Amino acid sequence: MANSAKNSFYVTTPIYYVNDVPHIGHAYSTIIADVLARYKRLTGYDVLFLTGTDEHGQKVEKAARDRGLTPQEHCDLMVGPFKELWDRLSISYSDFIRTTQERHIKVVQNIFQKLYDQGDIYKGFYEGWYCIHEETFYPESQLVGGCCPACGREVEWLKEESYYFRSSKYQDRLQAYIKDNPSFV
Ligand SMILES: [Zn+2]
């Protein structure tokens, strides 16, 4: 990020899931971010405008399997249509990041290691009814005829080892801050 006398401004789109080619919703979010980036540049800001692709998750794995490809092969093929669309729409992004890139993996590992070392992250288990489509757990009471309440697909019982963030460590500080700054939330 440039470190000049100018005010700097950072904007990012969501990093998009590559389980399929881009649709109008991706364009919508990215055009809004582009408008903001262009406006800030016009008013003298040094702008870093990021977009990219999220290449992890079960949806991506499943899409790859359905096409007979490895997840990486599938992602490599999917990134093209995203970049072509941003070119067609003249999106003025500064950087395109892919979560399978070494530079991304390294930074994420460093952040998680730091959090782990200082006791902010711990290992536990989470289990429940899970719908792959929304990547969401649903309580039994919300299921409709044993299926997902959102999309009607079959749910599966999933138990997974998970890392948790020890938010309780910050409870007192957070409560005090919210009390002292009533407009914060
Ligand atoms: Zn569902």
Side-chain angles (χ1 to χ4, degrees), residues 131-134 138 148-153 155:
C131 178
I132 294 181
H133 187 68
E134 285 87 31
Y138 293 100
C148 172
C151 72
R153 290 177 172 83
V155 289

Side-chain angles (χ1 to χ4, degrees), residues 14 16 22-32 82 85-86:
Y16 300 117
H23 56 68
I24 193 82
H26 297 106
Y28 171 78
S29 302
T30 305
I31 289 166
I32 289 173
F82 278 87
L85 181 59
W86 305 152

